[in-house]
Amino acid sequence: MSSTALRPTPDRANRPADATEATDAPGTPRPRVPALAQALLAYVGVRALGLAVLAPWAHRQHHGVWPILATQWDAEYYLGIADHGYAHALGGMDGGNNLVFFPLYPVLVKAVAAVTPGTRATTGLCLAVAASLLAAWGIYAVGTRLQGPRAGVLLTVLWAALPVGLVQWMGYTESLFTACAAWTLYALLTDRPLTAAWLATLAGLTRPTGIAVAAAVTLTCLLSWRRPRALLAAFLAPLGWCAYVGWVGLRLHRWDGYFAVQRTWRNEVDGGLDTLRQFRSLLLYDPTPELFLLLVTATLLASTALFALSLRDRQPAALLVFTAVTLLIVLTSGGVYFPRARYLLPAFPLLLPIAVRLTKAPTRYRHVILTTAVLGSAYWGAYMTLVWTGPP
């Protein structure tokens, strides 16, 4: 593929951004469905199919779908923070300290639940679903900005159909974080550095990998150092992440407080040694590897290959920095291995090389790829929550 694969062509730039190409024969006009509507409807359809597969499977195992989505694993911690606040002490090496979880999502859950009916668990799940729609819109906007509406729709569908895509409709922070990241990158692509900086601040209050969003804003804006707004944005972008990490340090009365909490969860940077050990064990030595861990391994390897394609396609610097820092954090962290596919869920620019190539692929080939991805996502979502014994 040409190194200019991600640069819009002249006729694409002049095409309406929210309309699809006409495909009817002459003399049989039909209304065009706006591409944004296509993207969002396709997104909802993919995720609804995942629920349609999960529900009967869960029923056969005597599990309720709502508790699976709204109250288990990390969702339980976020609801605990909304109900009772954060811990005051470090505690032991039991992985139970809730200071490891960033505050924006539980704060939103508490605030919205105070003025709406229903439980906080229902509020949290509704917020996650609403944030996923904002994320899908932002992903479509980035794809359309770079390669036109068709690529935007395909990028959105590919993100919806990731193997761990069910997490987008669970009481987790991935959807909210992806929404912040996508619109931050879009703001950078449209030369709005201060908007990008404030969105990066929100991303930094949502997940530890918010530092990757901040890095994308700061490094991109430093390239425009002669512009005062860009310099201000470069300074503002990391404030959300730094504020929470600093607050945890003050709460625990030690400068490395947040990183000490991470160690209680057995998470610390080891340069990728643990990742390589896991690869070796699962791919070479384990005679009966757990299927979900093989999926996680395949996701890490595929993400690395897709980043190489992103470099070859010369993606904009903001996207490359965001995905590079995210990948670096995930691959070089030791400790917990099984959630790493989920950690890469917000790194949607890694899917852009696939979306670009699918826009030029034969229709039959494109349909086969998308159908396989969608059906696989529905299966893996149910497997992840009903067969795999740990958190997603």
Side-chain angles (χ1 to χ4, degrees):
M1 183 143 206
S2 166
S3 63
T4 60
L6 294 178
R7 298 177 187 174
T9 58
D11 69 311
R12 181 182 286 115
N14 294 327
R15 188 181 303 155
D18 61 346
T20 56
E21 295 180 357
T23 57
D24 292 356
T28 58
R30 62 181 175 84
R32 295 180 177 181
V33 178
L36 174 58
Q38 284 190 33
L40 294 180
L41 287 172
Y43 174 77
V44 172
V46 172
R47 295 281 26 101
L49 176 63
L51 292 183
V53 172
L54 174 65
W57 194 340
H59 179 72
R60 286 196 299 271
Q61 295 192 9
H62 307 289
H63 294 297
V65 172
W66 183 86
I68 290 173
L69 300 179
T71 65
Q72 292 187 358
W73 306 115
D74 286 10
E76 183 179 3
Y77 281 96
Y78 288 118
L79 294 174
I81 294 169
D83 287 336
H84 309 296
Y86 282 104
H88 290 83
L90 183 60
M93 297 290 289
D94 58 357
N97 194 312
N98 64 11
L99 286 165
V100 76
F101 298 100
F102 277 54
L104 182 59
Y105 176 70
V107 166
L108 287 176
V109 170
K110 184 174 182 178
V112 175
V115 295
T116 56
T119 64
R120 284 179 174 169
T122 301
T123 300
L125 184 57
C126 289
L127 282 174
V129 173
S132 76
L133 295 174
L134 286 175
W137 183 8
I139 290 168
Y140 164 81
V142 171
T144 299
R145 178 73 183 182
L146 293 173
Q147 283 293 301
R150 178 177 290 182
V153 172
L154 288 170
L155 184 62
T156 306
V157 173
L158 289 170
W159 183 69
L162 285 171
V164 293
L166 180 65
V167 174
Q168 298 162 10
W169 281 13
M170 295 177 69
Y172 278 54
T173 57
E174 272 71 18
S175 290
L176 179 60
F177 180 72
T178 305
C180 293
W183 286 108
T184 298
L185 295 174
Y186 182 76
L188 289 173
L189 292 174
T190 53
D191 195 26
R192 291 180 287 176
L194 289 180
T195 300
W198 289 116
L199 288 168
T201 300
L202 294 178
L205 290 169
T206 306
R207 289 195 59 78
T209 45
I211 195 63
V213 183
V217 175
T218 298
L219 293 179
T220 301
C221 290
L222 287 178
L223 296 176
S224 305
W225 63 271
R226 290 186 179 87
R227 299 169 57 196
R229 285 192 309 160
L231 284 178
L232 179 59
F235 169 77
L236 293 174
L239 289 186
W241 188 90
C242 292
Y244 182 67
V245 170
W247 179 81
V248 173
L250 292 174
R251 192 173 184 84
L252 297 180
H253 307 290
R254 51 186 296 175
W255 68 270
D256 66 338
Y258 181 77
F259 305 101
V261 172
Q262 283 280 12
R263 288 192 291 273
T264 70
W265 287 78
R266 296 175 175 81
N267 289 330
E268 52 187 322
V269 175
D270 67 355
L273 293 177
D274 183 68
T275 302
L276 292 175
R277 282 194 293 268
Q278 293 284 354
F279 284 179
R280 184 177 61 180
S281 173
L282 289 166
L283 300 178
L284 297 178
Y285 297 116
D286 191 342
T288 57
E290 166 58 49
L291 190 58
F292 183 70
L293 296 182
L294 289 178
L295 172 68
V296 173
T297 302
T299 300
L300 296 179
L301 294 173
S303 297
T304 304
L306 288 172
F307 180 72
L309 275 180
S310 301
L311 286 171
R312 180 184 175 185
D313 289 352
R314 296 185 182 179
Q315 283 187 12
L319 276 64
L320 290 175
V321 171
F322 170 60
T323 51
V325 176
T326 302
L327 262 177
L328 186 67
I329 293 171
V330 172
L331 292 176
T332 62
S333 296
V336 183
Y337 184 74
F338 50 81
R340 298 193 194 185
R342 170 169 64 86
Y343 294 164
L344 288 173
L345 191 62
F348 70 90
L350 292 172
L351 300 170
L352 193 53
I354 303 177
V356 169
R357 285 155 177 80
L358 286 179
T359 61
K360 302 176 182 180
T363 301
R364 180 178 299 179
Y365 177 79
R366 183 164 60 246
H367 287 170
V368 169
I369 294 295
L370 293 178
T371 300
T372 301
V374 170
L375 294 178
S377 178
Y379 169 79
W380 281 113
Y383 184 95
M384 174 180 67
T385 53
L386 297 172
V387 179
W388 166 243
T389 56

Coordinates of all heavy atoms in Angstrom, one line a residue, residues 286-328:
D286 N 2.6 -24.9 27.2 CA 1.4 -25.3 27.8 C 0.7 -26.3 26.9 O 0.2 -25.9 25.8 CB 0.5 -24.1 28.1 CG -0.7 -24.5 29.0 OD1 -1.0 -25.7 29.1 OD2 -1.3 -23.5 29.6
P287 N 0.5 -27.6 27.3 CA -0.2 -28.5 26.4 C -1.7 -28.3 26.2 O -2.3 -28.6 25.2 CB 0.1 -29.9 27.0 CG 0.2 -29.6 28.5 CD 0.9 -28.2 28.5
T288 N -2.3 -27.6 27.2 CA -3.7 -27.3 27.1 C -4.0 -25.9 27.5 O -4.5 -25.6 28.6 CB -4.5 -28.3 28.0 OG1 -4.0 -28.1 29.4 CG2 -4.4 -29.7 27.6
P289 N -3.5 -24.9 26.7 CA -3.7 -23.5 27.1 C -5.2 -23.1 27.1 O -6.0 -23.6 26.4 CB -2.9 -22.8 26.0 CG -3.0 -23.7 24.8 CD -2.9 -25.1 25.4
E290 N -5.5 -22.2 28.1 CA -6.8 -21.7 28.2 C -7.2 -20.9 26.9 O -6.4 -20.0 26.5 CB -7.0 -20.8 29.4 CG -8.2 -19.9 29.5 CD -9.5 -20.7 29.4 OE1 -9.6 -21.7 30.1 OE2 -10.3 -20.3 28.6
L291 N -8.3 -21.1 26.3 CA -8.7 -20.5 25.0 C -8.7 -19.0 25.1 O -8.3 -18.3 24.2 CB -10.1 -21.1 24.6 CG -10.5 -20.8 23.2 CD1 -9.5 -21.3 22.1 CD2 -11.9 -21.4 22.9
F292 N -9.2 -18.5 26.2 CA -9.3 -17.0 26.3 C -7.9 -16.4 26.4 O -7.7 -15.3 25.8 CB -10.1 -16.6 27.6 CG -10.3 -15.1 27.7 CD1 -11.2 -14.5 26.8 CD2 -9.7 -14.4 28.7 CE1 -11.3 -13.1 26.9 CE2 -9.9 -13.0 28.8 CZ -10.7 -12.4 27.9
L293 N -7.0 -17.1 27.0 CA -5.6 -16.5 27.1 C -5.0 -16.6 25.7 O -4.2 -15.7 25.4 CB -4.8 -17.3 28.1 CG -5.3 -17.2 29.6 CD1 -4.3 -17.9 30.5 CD2 -5.4 -15.7 30.0
L294 N -5.3 -17.6 24.9 CA -4.8 -17.6 23.5 C -5.4 -16.4 22.7 O -4.7 -15.8 21.9 CB -5.2 -18.9 22.8 CG -4.5 -20.1 23.3 CD1 -5.0 -21.4 22.6 CD2 -2.9 -20.0 23.1
L295 N -6.7 -16.1 23.0 CA -7.3 -14.9 22.3 C -6.5 -13.6 22.7 O -6.2 -12.8 21.9 CB -8.7 -14.8 22.7 CG -9.4 -13.5 22.3 CD1 -9.6 -13.5 20.8 CD2 -10.8 -13.4 22.9
V296 N -6.2 -13.5 24.0 CA -5.5 -12.3 24.5 C -4.1 -12.2 23.8 O -3.7 -11.2 23.3 CB -5.3 -12.4 26.0 CG1 -4.4 -11.3 26.5 CG2 -6.6 -12.3 26.7
T297 N -3.4 -13.4 23.7 CA -2.1 -13.4 23.0 C -2.2 -13.0 21.6 O -1.4 -12.2 21.1 CB -1.5 -14.8 23.2 OG1 -1.4 -15.2 24.6 CG2 -0.1 -14.9 22.5
A298 N -3.2 -13.6 20.9 CA -3.4 -13.2 19.5 C -3.7 -11.7 19.3 O -3.3 -11.1 18.4 CB -4.6 -14.0 18.9
T299 N -4.5 -11.2 20.3 CA -4.8 -9.7 20.2 C -3.5 -8.9 20.4 O -3.3 -7.9 19.6 CB -5.8 -9.4 21.3 OG1 -7.0 -10.1 21.1 CG2 -6.1 -7.9 21.3
L300 N -2.7 -9.3 21.3 CA -1.4 -8.5 21.5 C -0.5 -8.6 20.2 O 0.0 -7.6 19.8 CB -0.7 -9.0 22.7 CG -1.4 -8.9 24.0 CD1 -0.5 -9.5 25.2 CD2 -1.7 -7.4 24.3
L301 N -0.4 -9.8 19.7 CA 0.4 -9.9 18.5 C -0.2 -9.2 17.3 O 0.6 -8.5 16.5 CB 0.6 -11.4 18.2 CG 1.4 -12.3 19.2 CD1 1.3 -13.7 18.8 CD2 2.8 -11.8 19.3
A302 N -1.5 -9.3 17.1 CA -2.1 -8.6 16.0 C -2.0 -7.1 16.1 O -1.8 -6.4 15.2 CB -3.6 -9.0 15.9
S303 N -2.1 -6.6 17.4 CA -2.0 -5.2 17.6 C -0.6 -4.7 17.3 O -0.5 -3.6 16.7 CB -2.4 -4.9 19.1 OG -3.7 -5.2 19.3
T304 N 0.4 -5.4 17.6 CA 1.7 -5.0 17.2 C 1.9 -5.0 15.7 O 2.5 -4.0 15.2 CB 2.7 -6.0 17.9 OG1 2.5 -6.1 19.3 CG2 4.2 -5.6 17.6
A305 N 1.4 -6.0 15.0 CA 1.5 -6.0 13.6 C 0.7 -4.8 13.0 O 1.2 -4.2 12.0 CB 1.0 -7.3 13.0
L306 N -0.5 -4.5 13.5 CA -1.3 -3.4 13.0 C -0.6 -2.1 13.3 O -0.7 -1.1 12.5 CB -2.7 -3.4 13.6 CG -3.6 -4.6 13.1 CD1 -4.9 -4.6 13.9 CD2 -3.9 -4.4 11.6
F307 N 0.1 -2.0 14.4 CA 0.9 -0.7 14.6 C 2.0 -0.5 13.5 O 2.2 0.6 13.1 CB 1.5 -0.7 16.0 CG 2.3 0.6 16.3 CD1 1.6 1.8 16.5 CD2 3.6 0.6 16.3 CE1 2.3 2.9 16.7 CE2 4.3 1.8 16.6 CZ 3.7 2.9 16.8
A308 N 2.6 -1.6 13.2 CA 3.6 -1.5 12.1 C 3.0 -1.1 10.8 O 3.5 -0.3 10.0 CB 4.3 -2.9 11.9
L309 N 1.8 -1.6 10.5 CA 1.0 -1.1 9.3 C 0.7 0.3 9.4 O 0.7 1.1 8.4 CB -0.2 -2.0 9.1 CG -0.1 -3.3 8.3 CD1 -1.4 -4.0 8.2 CD2 0.5 -3.0 6.9
S310 N 0.3 0.8 10.6 CA -0.1 2.2 10.8 C 1.1 3.1 10.5 O 1.0 4.2 9.9 CB -0.5 2.4 12.3 OG -1.7 1.6 12.5
L311 N 2.3 2.6 10.9 CA 3.5 3.4 10.6 C 3.8 3.4 9.1 O 4.1 4.5 8.6 CB 4.7 2.7 11.3 CG 4.9 2.9 12.8 CD1 6.0 2.1 13.4 CD2 5.1 4.4 13.2
R312 N 3.6 2.3 8.5 CA 3.8 2.2 7.0 C 2.8 3.1 6.3 O 3.2 3.8 5.3 CB 3.6 0.8 6.5 CG 3.8 0.6 5.0 CD 3.5 -0.8 4.6 NE 3.6 -0.9 3.2 CZ 3.3 -2.0 2.5 NH1 2.9 -3.1 3.2 NH2 3.4 -2.1 1.2
D313 N 1.6 3.2 6.8 CA 0.6 4.1 6.2 C 0.7 5.5 6.5 O -0.1 6.4 6.0 CB -0.8 3.6 6.6 CG -1.2 2.3 6.0 OD1 -0.5 1.8 5.1 OD2 -2.3 1.7 6.4
R314 N 1.7 5.8 7.4 CA 1.9 7.2 7.8 C 0.7 7.9 8.4 O 0.3 9.0 7.9 CB 2.5 8.1 6.6 CG 3.8 7.6 6.1 CD 4.3 8.5 5.0 NE 5.6 8.0 4.5 CZ 6.3 8.6 3.5 NH1 5.8 9.7 3.0 NH2 7.5 8.1 3.1
Q315 N 0.1 7.2 9.4 CA -1.0 7.9 10.1 C -0.5 9.2 10.7 O 0.7 9.4 11.0 CB -1.5 6.9 11.2 CG -2.3 5.8 10.7 CD -2.9 5.0 11.9 OE1 -2.9 5.5 13.1 NE2 -3.5 3.9 11.6
P316 N -1.4 10.1 10.9 CA -1.0 11.4 11.6 C -0.3 11.1 12.9 O -0.6 10.1 13.6 CB -2.4 12.1 11.8 CG -3.3 11.5 10.7 CD -2.8 10.1 10.5
A317 N 0.5 12.0 13.3 CA 1.4 11.8 14.5 C 0.5 11.6 15.8 O 0.9 10.8 16.6 CB 2.3 13.0 14.7
A318 N -0.6 12.3 15.9 CA -1.4 12.1 17.1 C -1.9 10.7 17.3 O -1.9 10.2 18.4 CB -2.6 13.1 17.0
L319 N -2.3 10.1 16.2 CA -2.8 8.7 16.3 C -1.7 7.7 16.6 O -1.8 6.8 17.4 CB -3.5 8.3 15.0 CG -5.0 8.7 14.8 CD1 -5.2 10.2 14.8 CD2 -5.5 8.0 13.6
L320 N -0.5 8.0 16.0 CA 0.6 7.1 16.2 C 1.1 7.2 17.6 O 1.5 6.2 18.3 CB 1.7 7.4 15.2 CG 1.5 7.1 13.8 CD1 2.6 7.6 12.9 CD2 1.3 5.5 13.6
V321 N 1.2 8.4 18.2 CA 1.6 8.5 19.6 C 0.7 7.9 20.5 O 1.1 7.1 21.5 CB 1.8 10.0 19.9 CG1 2.1 10.2 21.4 CG2 2.9 10.6 19.1
F322 N -0.6 8.1 20.3 CA -1.6 7.5 21.2 C -1.5 5.9 21.2 O -1.5 5.3 22.3 CB -3.0 7.9 20.8 CG -4.1 7.1 21.5 CD1 -4.3 7.2 22.8 CD2 -5.0 6.4 20.7 CE1 -5.3 6.5 23.5 CE2 -6.1 5.7 21.4 CZ -6.2 5.7 22.7
T323 N -1.5 5.3 20.0 CA -1.4 3.9 20.0 C -0.1 3.3 20.4 O 0.0 2.3 21.1 CB -1.7 3.4 18.6 OG1 -0.9 4.0 17.6 CG2 -3.2 3.6 18.2
A324 N 1.0 4.1 20.1 CA 2.3 3.6 20.6 C 2.5 3.6 22.1 O 2.9 2.6 22.7 CB 3.4 4.5 20.0
V325 N 2.0 4.6 22.8 CA 2.1 4.7 24.2 C 1.2 3.7 24.8 O 1.5 3.0 25.8 CB 1.8 6.1 24.7 CG1 1.8 6.1 26.3 CG2 2.8 7.1 24.2
T326 N 0.0 3.5 24.3 CA -0.9 2.5 24.8 C -0.3 1.1 24.7 O -0.4 0.3 25.6 CB -2.3 2.6 24.1 OG1 -2.9 3.9 24.2 CG2 -3.3 1.5 24.6
L327 N 0.2 0.8 23.5 CA 0.8 -0.5 23.3 C 2.0 -0.7 24.3 O 2.2 -1.8 24.8 CB 1.3 -0.7 21.9 CG 0.4 -1.4 20.9 CD1 1.0 -1.4 19.5 CD2 0.2 -2.8 21.3
L328 N 2.8 0.3 24.4 CA 4.0 0.2 25.3 C 3.6 -0.1 26.7 O 4.2 -0.9 27.4 CB 4.8 1.6 25.2 CG 6.1 1.6 26.0 CD1 7.1 0.6 25.3 CD2 6.6 3.0 26.0

